[in-house]
Amino acid sequence: MQFDSLDIIDPILKALNEEGYSSPTPVQAESIPIVLAGEDLLACAQTGTGKTAAFAIPILQRLYESHVHGEKRRVKSLVLTPTRELAVQIGESFTAYGRHTGISNTVLFGGVNQNPQTARLLRGVDIVVATPGRLLDLMGQGHLHLRDIEYFVLDEADRMLDMGFMHEVKKILAALPAKRQSLFFSATMPPEIVKLSASILHKPRKVSVTPVSSTVEIINQNILFVDKSNKNSLLVHLLQDTTIRNALVFTRTKHGADKVAKFLLHHDIKAEAIHGNKSQNARQRALNNFKAQKTRVLVATDIAARGIDVDELEYVINVDLPEVPETYVHRIGRTGRAGASGTAYSFCTADEKAFLRDIEMLIARTIPVIDAHPFPMLIQQPEAEASSRKPRGNSGHPAPKPQGKTGGWGRGRRPGKSH
Ligand code: AMP
């Protein structure tokens, strides 16, 4: 199926094309027609299924079609989401898919100065993506009201509940107009969530898609414990395996991406970095080189990698573990697409172990550890840490002496196959 069979308007189709999306994911194919038809939606879908576009595309389209030329922008759509990171990602999705529609969005979350947010609201905006606390705060101060809301999305409802936001959510619901279209997304549907959805939705249509874990399950995932100073050397070591034809490498920072690419080039591994400091043209060029297999390794930050869709990408390497566990799922989901096989290697330092725990909780599985590599972690872990990760090889114990660059896997041996 293609997006154009879903009655999506040209300005959005154009943007999707630019994002490199060729066909809708199952949650998109099912939800977009329901939302375009004006019906309420109850969707059971996790992060990684493409759920953001499933609500962002039809909301953008409906707002575009109803916008009266010259009218001041009012907040007509509210997306409520539990975390700042999700809010930012959703805002970016609206911006990306709506870039040819003139429909504007802004993101509101706490922990930062509110002045830029209130200044943006004052200029007029169509869509607000918010975390509950800051939204209520700004509403209380009179910086926005929800009287004009026509489209309301509750995203990650189960997490909202887990994070103790139910009181805030209920207060926000009370401020919404009764006549509205509501979309409810949750990865799981425990009884409290079903009850909450019943209080929000009117005769909802239901959509349920295979949980992201099934995508995660087909990817061969591995953790390599390593000290920070050895990350780049370990990466070079991994890439000495010539069966890795191409790999998408993730770093947390732009600076980190540049440094890794430089290090690889220095070791005769053809690499390019893409991140927000590079021009759109430079990023596109690097991506094209990677797709055409002129560059073996593309080093990217999460933001820059959004929308990268490379066919037959077999390897994702996380030089840094992401702080937000969903980001891990996004990253590794670049490989193993459309039934193809995929392998993910993630480096983890002592400082990153908490991120690893969050990731393993999200994906509900323990990621196998590869101990046999030449740069094992030398920093000894505290006792509690060591015992909590007991089943995971020697990572929590005094590490063996490094075996030098020639140790570990022999040439031609596929890393990870022993696990
Ligand atoms: P989400 O579940 O909304 O967090 O999306 C997961 C990832 O899939 C995001 O990185 C999106 O950019 C990407 N994505 C969403 N829809 C599509 C699509 N139709 N084709 C390819 N990638 C997509």
Side-chain angles (χ1 to χ4, degrees):
M1 184 197 259
Q2 298 293 306
F3 276 110
D4 48 14
S5 58
L6 293 175
D7 279 338
I8 296 172
I9 51 173
D10 286 341
I12 298 178
L13 282 180
K14 188 170 170 212
L16 294 176
N17 195 24
E18 288 160 359
E19 286 298 297
Y21 297 0
S22 49
S23 51
T25 66
V27 70
Q28 293 163 3
E30 287 194 57
S31 306
I32 292 172
I34 295 172
V35 184
L36 287 179
E39 294 186 86
D40 279 7
L41 175 72
L42 175 61
C44 190
Q46 290 189 6
T47 290
T49 54
K51 69 180 169 71
T52 312
F55 62 77
I57 292 169
I59 288 177
L60 284 164
Q61 176 151 340
R62 300 207 70 191
L63 290 174
Y64 177 82
E65 287 176 336
S66 66
H67 182 70
V68 178
H69 187 70
E71 189 188 53
K72 182 169 184 213
R73 308 256 166 202
R74 285 172 293 137
V75 182
K76 289 184 177 170
S77 180
L78 171 67
V79 179
L80 211 51
T81 191
T83 67
R84 164 192 178 146
E85 289 75 16
L86 278 165
V88 169
Q89 285 182 16
I90 294 168
E92 285 168 359
S93 297
F94 274 114
T95 303
Y97 313 143
R99 67 167 77 96
H100 304 298
T101 62
I103 300 298
S104 55
N105 77 82
T106 195
V107 178
L108 309 176
F109 49 80
V112 293
N113 185 330
Q114 70 170 45
N115 293 343
Q117 297 178 355
T118 54
R120 180 69 192 87
L121 288 171
L122 208 57
R123 293 209 304 276
V125 64
D126 301 286
I127 301 166
V128 162
V129 182
T131 54
R134 177 55 65 95
L135 178 69
L136 280 171
D137 198 1
L138 296 182
M139 283 166 64
Q141 295 175 48
H143 290 295
L144 85 159
H145 62 75
L146 305 180
R147 290 191 292 274
D148 297 323
I149 296 292
E150 295 171 16
Y151 309 99
F152 170 64
V153 181
L154 185 63
D155 184 41
E156 307 240 341
D158 51 355
R159 250 180 107 194
M160 205 75 99
L161 185 76
D162 288 347
M163 291 174 70
F165 282 138
M166 239 354 85
H167 181 65
E168 283 88 345
V169 170
K170 286 189 175 150
K171 268 173 108 172
I172 293 164
L173 290 174
L176 290 172
K179 191 173 172 302
R180 57 167 200 257
Q181 187 177 0
S182 303
L183 318 176
F184 189 103
F185 285 79
S186 190
T188 57
M189 292 285 168
E192 306 101 287
I193 289 296
V194 174
K195 201 168 142 210
L196 177 70
S197 74
S199 73
I200 296 176
L201 303 169
H202 175 69
K203 292 191 184 160
R205 298 270 307 274
K206 293 181 185 151
V207 164
S208 177
V209 296
T210 329
V212 67
S213 57
S214 64
T215 319
V216 167
E217 272 153 25
I218 60 165
I219 299 165
N220 168 17
Q221 299 168 67
N222 307 277
I223 289 287
L224 294 93
F225 288 106
V226 62
D227 292 319
K228 194 168 176 221
S229 56
N230 283 331
K231 278 182 168 182
N232 286 350
S233 303
L234 180 57
L235 180 63
V236 168
H237 173 77
L238 277 184
L239 292 168
Q240 271 158 5
D241 179 348
T242 50
T243 58
I244 302 181
R245 281 182 301 139
N246 60 15
L248 181 56
V249 170
F250 284 96
T251 60
R252 196 171 305 131
T253 64
K254 300 169 198 173
H255 181 60
D258 281 333
K259 268 174 67 175
V260 169
K262 231 169 143 180
F263 193 88
L264 293 178
L265 284 173
H266 188 71
H267 286 79
D268 292 330
I269 296 171
K270 197 133 197 301
E272 279 188 89
I274 55 164
H275 52 65
N277 284 1
K278 305 224 162 177
S279 69
Q280 187 60 37
N281 279 348
R283 282 156 67 169
Q284 198 55 49
R285 217 172 22 247
L287 185 57
N288 291 346
N289 286 342
F290 185 60
K291 283 184 173 174
Q293 304 203 357
K294 288 187 199 155
T295 310
R296 185 168 167 226
V297 180
L298 191 63
V299 190
T301 57
D302 292 300
I303 303 284
R306 284 186 74 81
I308 291 184
D309 198 1
V310 181
D311 292 341
E312 296 170 39
L313 176 65
E314 235 188 295
Y315 292 89
V316 165
I317 304 175
N318 295 311
V319 164
D320 301 315
L321 274 184
E323 293 171 33
V324 180
E326 285 81 1
T327 304
Y328 173 82
V329 176
H330 282 175
R331 288 182 181 181
I332 68 164
R334 308 294 168 155
T335 164
R337 289 222 164 143
S341 65
T343 299
Y345 295 111
S346 302
F347 298 173
C348 181
T349 61
D351 292 346
E352 291 171 316
K353 286 194 169 187
F355 303 153
L356 176 60
R357 256 195 306 270
D358 290 347
I359 290 167
E360 291 185 331
M361 256 167 69
L362 176 76
I363 63 172
R365 53 168 32 212
T366 305
I367 306 172
V369 175
I370 295 182
D371 291 319
H373 69 75
F375 303 98
M377 200 185 267
L378 293 172
I379 300 169
Q380 187 164 359
Q381 294 307 293
E383 268 312 298
E385 188 80 55
S387 58
S388 72
R389 297 198 66 84
K390 224 174 8 235
R392 316 195 48 183
N394 66 11
S395 55
H397 303 280
K401 279 211 170 88
Q403 301 154 16
K405 281 203 175 185
T406 50
W409 303 300
R411 190 182 278 259
R413 181 168 163 212
R414 255 322 228 288
K417 284 284 147 78
S418 58
H419 286 262

